[in-house]
Amino acid sequence: MGVDLRQVVAGVLTVTMFVMLGNMIKREHFDSAHEKLPGMAEEIRYEDKPLEQGITSLSKSGGPWNENSGELKPCWEKPESDALGDSKGSITFSLINGPEYHISQISAAVVVAKYLGATLVIPDIRGTNPGDERRFGDIYDVDKFIQNLDGVVNVVREQPSDTSAEDVAVVRVPSKVTEDYISEHVEPVFRTKSNIRLATYFPSVNMRKKKTQKSELDAVTCLALFGTLELQPDIREVVDSMVERLKTLSRKSSGQFVAIDLRLDMLEKRNCQGSKKCFGIQEIKEFLQKVGFNKDTTIYLTQSRWHSSLDTLKDFFPKTYTKESIMPVDKKAKFLSSEDSEFEKVIDFYICSESDVFVPAISGLFYTNVVGKRIASGKNQILVPAIIEGTSAPADDYLSSYVVKKNHLAHACFC
């Protein structure tokens, strides 16, 4: 009996379709575990969908590397310096929980201050442990912050000494605060007390751009999110030296390296085994292999110190490094202390923002805000991991949909 070629082709296509569908279903279940602040209700999903047209290709350097598209230009215009009136009161707040939260907390405070015509007081920075406090200038450049907001809001370094705690009212605001929310919940309190302290909560950590009509504060939001925070010189120097070290170690891949947000404490906390809320070491290793990265690939992990469980990854990718192995020796005492993880979080955030490829093993606000900085700088290679059936898959099938769909807030701020 003869073989009908059309039936054979149809059978192959059917099998291929079910394999692709299986991959999509597995990735659809990649929900983040809760990483809550007080009052935070969080439903986080990785944003990923296959591209209709691939943009990455396997290069001679042994990986699906792609040329950066180049830094984008801001779509907003900064107000003129004479646009400010007299201050009607003050806004104070604290930065907590790491740089990925700092960005949203700064944005909310700037937007509220602009709307109310209030003076913004430089915040302090508080760690997760009681009494763990530091100055804004320990991490960020104070002068640049004030300069970047010149003409937008009045900024002072300290609250006036004649303002007592009794004079300040605490007001909760969502991370993506709107004019309507300020008008209804914040302005009445501000009119009464004149001095308010903001407590930012996170109803959602996605950074999708709004589909509603643009408001007058959108430009202020863009500036606050992407144009205010700059690292103070000492930390900037450490980040630059570590990035340069990684590029030097990546000679066989034309100076390109992969940064992976993979922290063992977070993987254990979120119980990654058998759960697609995050991806474990073995799964990340297999993902990188199947999308085309070879043994010469240089990898940076956000894990601070080496742990034997990482040997699984290093067995195939010997050029895998943590902070302790590439940080300048004379900087380790200050920036790699187990008692002060704030510096480590900041270093990770900026290296992941500046790497050639970013792979988030863990979903959450770190992922979404790193994506925003990368989009603004044209570094669009953000590969969302998945369990891949078969021996290989094109890397561009796993690009973040924040990039593919251009639905990240950064796309509303940069052209």
Side-chain angles (χ1 to χ4, degrees):
M1 182 173 62
V3 177
D4 189 333
L5 182 59
R6 290 175 298 180
Q7 290 180 333
V8 174
V9 173
V12 172
L13 290 175
T14 300
V15 172
T16 302
M17 180 187 71
F18 277 109
V19 170
M20 292 176 63
L21 180 60
N23 264 342
M24 291 175 66
I25 291 173
K26 288 176 182 176
R27 286 185 284 148
E28 188 67 24
H29 285 84
F30 194 50
D31 298 344
S32 169
H34 295 296
E35 189 177 26
K36 291 186 177 181
L37 292 177
M40 178 177 175
E42 182 178 332
E43 178 69 16
I44 314 168
R45 292 182 181 273
Y46 252 134
E47 300 288 335
D48 61 304
K49 184 179 179 180
L51 275 174
E52 294 180 2
Q53 181 178 356
I55 66 168
T56 58
S57 61
L58 209 61
S59 68
K60 293 180 181 179
S61 55
W65 307 104
N66 181 42
E67 292 288 334
N68 293 326
S69 60
E71 189 170 353
L72 302 181
K73 295 181 179 179
C75 299
W76 74 84
E77 293 185 4
K78 186 177 177 181
E80 298 294 332
S81 298
D82 58 357
L84 295 177
D86 294 332
S87 176
K88 302 169 184 175
S90 67
I91 304 290
T92 60
F93 65 111
S94 294
L95 300 179
I96 60 173
N97 262 43
E100 67 269 34
Y101 288 87
H102 297 173
I103 291 172
S104 298
Q105 291 158 357
I106 286 288
S107 174
V110 170
V111 168
V112 171
K114 178 64 176 177
Y115 184 92
L116 298 175
T119 293
L120 191 68
V121 180
I122 293 286
D124 59 356
I125 300 175
R126 301 188 180 184
T128 54
N129 300 319
D132 184 9
E133 298 181 16
R134 59 187 54 78
R135 298 171 301 171
F136 182 85
D138 291 341
I139 292 179
Y140 300 110
D141 191 316
V142 179
D143 292 333
K144 290 288 183 63
F145 181 76
I146 295 174
Q147 179 183 336
N148 291 338
L149 285 173
D150 181 43
V152 181
V153 295
N154 290 312
V155 182
V156 295
R157 295 173 185 267
E158 296 180 355
Q159 190 166 14
S161 57
D162 59 352
T163 303
S164 65
E166 291 76 16
D167 296 329
V168 181
V170 177
V171 181
R172 283 165 46 85
V173 296
S175 53
K176 292 194 285 188
V177 67
T178 63
E179 293 182 44
D180 289 342
Y181 188 95
I182 299 172
S183 176
E184 182 177 353
H185 299 283
V186 184
E187 189 171 19
V189 180
F190 183 72
R191 285 178 178 173
T192 301
K193 300 290 290 188
S194 296
N195 301 294
I196 61 176
R197 180 173 181 81
L198 300 183
T200 308
Y201 67 96
F202 292 75
S204 170
V205 298
N206 79 68
M207 292 292 286
R208 287 188 290 271
K209 62 183 180 182
K210 296 183 295 184
K211 295 181 180 179
T212 56
Q213 185 177 1
K214 291 186 177 181
S215 74
E216 294 180 1
L217 287 179
D218 283 347
V220 177
T221 300
C222 288
L223 172 63
L225 284 171
F226 301 108
T228 55
L229 290 179
E230 297 184 36
L231 294 177
Q232 58 99 325
D234 284 349
I235 301 182
R236 184 71 258 179
E237 181 183 347
V238 170
V239 170
D240 289 344
S241 67
M242 292 173 70
V243 168
E244 189 59 36
R245 175 63 175 156
L246 288 164
K247 290 183 178 296
T248 300
L249 293 166
S250 307
R251 287 187 295 269
K252 290 188 177 181
S253 56
S254 303
Q256 297 167 304
F257 70 95
V258 178
I260 305 176
D261 181 27
L262 191 155
R263 292 162 280 165
L264 296 177
D265 60 332
M266 294 300 294
L267 296 181
E268 292 173 2
K269 178 181 177 181
R270 298 188 180 191
N271 189 25
C272 289
Q273 300 300 320
S275 167
K276 290 306 125 229
K277 294 177 179 178
C278 50
F279 282 83
I281 299 165
Q282 180 66 28
E283 293 167 326
I284 290 295
K285 171 190 170 182
E286 292 177 357
F287 174 74
L288 294 175
Q289 288 175 307
K290 290 182 177 181
V291 298
F293 290 102
N294 70 12
K295 291 186 176 183
D296 289 323
T297 301
T298 299
I299 295 174
Y300 173 79
L301 300 178
T302 54
Q303 170 72 14
S304 291
R305 296 162 184 79
W306 195 261
H307 187 274
S308 59
S309 61
L310 298 172
D311 291 345
T312 300
L313 185 62
K314 196 175 183 69
D315 286 344
F316 187 85
F317 297 105
K319 295 181 179 180
T320 299
Y321 305 97
T322 59
K323 278 182 284 297
E324 67 175 350
S325 58
I326 61 169
M327 183 179 290
V329 175
D330 61 332
K331 301 295 184 181
K332 289 183 179 181
K334 178 177 180 180
F335 296 112
L336 200 58
S337 167
S338 60
E339 299 177 357
D340 192 354
S341 62
E342 201 73 29
F343 289 129
E344 297 178 26
K345 292 177 185 177
V346 169
I347 290 169
D348 285 335
F349 186 84
Y350 282 86
I351 291 181
C352 287
S353 300
E354 297 170 20
S355 63
D356 298 281
V357 176
F358 174 53
V359 178
I362 307 164
S363 181
L365 199 59
F366 187 97
Y367 160 62
T368 55
N369 273 329
V370 165
V371 169
K373 288 188 71 67
R374 293 183 67 90
I375 289 171
S377 61
K379 295 180 177 292
N380 289 333
Q381 271 203 299
I382 304 152
L383 303 182
V384 175
I387 301 297
I388 300 175
E389 303 292 344
T391 58
S392 64
D396 45 291
D397 279 0
Y398 301 93
L399 282 172
S400 167
S401 75
Y402 277 136
V403 172
V404 177
K405 296 180 180 179
K406 294 188 176 181
N407 62 0
H408 194 284
L409 181 57
H411 288 295
C413 296
F414 293 91
C415 306

